Amino acid sequence: MNKSLKQSPVVPAGFGPGALAMAIANPGALGTIEAYIGAVNRLPVLTADQETSLARRYQETEDLGAARELVLSHLRLVVAIARQYLGYGLPHADLIQEGNVGLMKAVKRFDPERGVRLVSFAIHWVKAEIHEYILKNWKLVKVATTKAQRKLFFNLRSMKKDSRSLTPDQVTEIATALNVRPQDVTDMEVRLSGQDMALEGRGTDDGETDFAPIAYLSDEGQHEPTQVLEGRRRDELHGVGLHSALDALDDRSRRIIEARWLKDEGGLTLQELASEFGVSAERIRQIEARAMVKMRGALAEYA
């Protein structure tokens, strides 16, 4: 909807300049959520004729004053709907704020000629905005990404008779009622029962910090992306790359390299290998040097 509709609503008598206008965009602007609720509950309710007249005026002339009056007269509806979703642990003011957005969308699309009151038409839009807000903010990991999951998300809690886990019969009953699979009901119950946990601890009065997952999840080693990539490349070089380079050598050269450089505890000397192969130490050094050059060529693709 036009931004001016959201930012410049009519201010009823008895409120300071702009106070309720700010509250529509931010329900906490009046000081407390209770003050906001008290304010909107004192706003007059439109009659059917007044509502139709204002809706026609807005539809025909885009008179924002008419739209504002329609919005203000239905703010109490948003408060009532938002109260139904307090069980998700999200701030009441935020729920109301999102519901207000839905109300304004409803006013923009409302057709007074269909013979339906705005309150009935707006319920869908208000709930849709609140649902979207809850799904985006209730969990870091999204719990409802399909239409069936959304239906489960917003109905499962009310359909459970108590806080205990569902029995197989209850799972089947709910699945039938909502036209979803029993497995979907079981999965959603598990996901809803999980609790969010702060990654970082909060400070305490004595200056200490609560123990939190960040203490044991953090990696004290590599954090910067290029360091991580370098580490992976190094691991690949030491693993697959080294074996590939050794496979490229003849048996004698491989024996010399492994004996000189790949022993866990100290490699053999040139003289020891010279005795093993019956050649001079200088000859062993030459074979070793050529093998190193050949291995560097084989490792080039991993470097």
Side-chain angles (χ1 to χ4, degrees):
M1 177 173 283
N2 191 308
K3 290 184 178 179
S4 58
L5 173 58
K6 183 175 181 180
Q7 296 172 351
S8 307
V10 173
V11 180
F15 297 98
L20 195 56
M22 291 175 59
I24 290 180
N26 177 13
L30 291 181
T32 65
I33 189 64
E34 289 76 15
Y36 173 84
I37 293 174
V40 300
N41 283 338
R42 289 194 294 273
L43 291 169
V45 178
L46 298 175
T47 65
D49 290 340
Q50 290 174 323
E51 181 181 293
T52 301
S53 175
L54 289 168
R56 285 173 178 166
R57 203 167 88 203
Y58 174 64
Q59 190 178 60
E60 295 169 0
T61 66
E62 296 188 357
D63 182 351
L64 295 184
R68 284 194 292 270
E69 289 189 52
L70 289 170
V71 170
L72 288 171
S73 66
H74 288 80
L75 290 178
R76 69 183 67 206
L77 168 68
V78 177
V79 171
I81 294 175
R83 189 177 293 115
Q84 300 171 15
Y85 297 92
L86 291 177
Y88 294 100
L90 295 170
H92 195 186
D94 290 351
L95 293 170
I96 292 174
Q97 180 176 345
E98 296 301 319
N100 286 346
V101 173
L103 173 60
M104 287 185 281
K105 289 182 178 180
V107 168
K108 182 178 181 181
R109 294 165 175 79
F110 179 58
D111 183 357
E113 308 306 328
R114 292 191 175 184
V116 177
R117 292 295 300 267
L118 177 57
V119 64
S120 300
F121 180 75
I123 287 175
H124 164 76
W125 292 94
V126 172
K127 286 187 174 181
E129 289 296 322
I130 293 177
H131 286 185
E132 193 66 25
Y133 170 73
I134 292 174
L135 291 175
K136 287 181 179 179
N137 296 275
W138 192 63
K139 292 279 188 182
L140 290 176
V141 179
K142 302 298 185 293
V143 298
T145 55
T146 67
K147 185 176 181 179
Q149 288 175 335
R150 286 177 179 235
K151 184 190 296 185
L152 271 171
F153 181 84
F154 289 107
N155 288 279
L156 186 56
R157 283 190 173 187
S158 60
M159 297 181 75
K160 289 183 65 174
K161 296 180 173 57
D162 49 49
S163 60
R164 291 177 294 182
S165 298
L166 293 172
T167 65
D169 290 342
Q170 290 174 327
V171 169
T172 302
E173 181 183 343
I174 293 174
T176 301
L178 298 179
N179 193 27
V180 298
R181 299 178 307 165
Q183 184 61 45
D184 293 334
V185 176
T186 303
D187 291 344
M188 185 57 70
E189 182 187 23
V190 172
R191 298 168 85 177
L192 288 175
S193 64
Q195 298 295 319
D196 289 337
M197 179 180 293
L199 184 62
E200 297 184 350
R202 295 174 296 181
T204 59
D205 294 337
D206 56 4
E208 298 294 328
T209 301
D210 293 340
F211 183 76
I214 193 66
Y216 54 83
L217 291 179
S218 61
D219 179 7
E220 301 298 336
Q222 300 169 339
H223 297 285
E224 204 273 325
T226 56
Q227 292 180 334
V228 174
L229 292 175
E230 287 294 335
R232 290 177 181 172
R233 187 178 296 114
R234 185 171 57 252
D235 292 341
E236 187 176 13
L237 184 66
H238 290 173
V240 179
L242 183 57
H243 284 293
S244 177
L246 287 171
D247 288 341
L249 301 177
D250 59 75
D251 292 342
R252 183 172 64 173
S253 298
R254 178 166 183 159
R255 163 61 182 161
I256 292 172
I257 293 298
E258 289 179 339
R260 288 276 289 158
W261 301 101
L262 300 179
K263 278 187 169 292
D264 292 334
E265 297 180 2
L268 299 181
T269 65
L270 293 174
Q271 191 60 51
E272 288 172 328
L273 286 167
S275 299
E276 179 180 330
F277 287 102
V279 296
S280 66
E282 176 59 22
R283 178 59 179 157
I284 296 297
R285 188 194 64 76
Q286 292 172 357
I287 295 173
E288 178 187 42
R290 284 199 297 270
M292 288 292 193
V293 172
K294 192 170 185 178
M295 289 181 67
R296 278 194 288 271
L299 288 171
E301 62 180 286
Y302 297 96

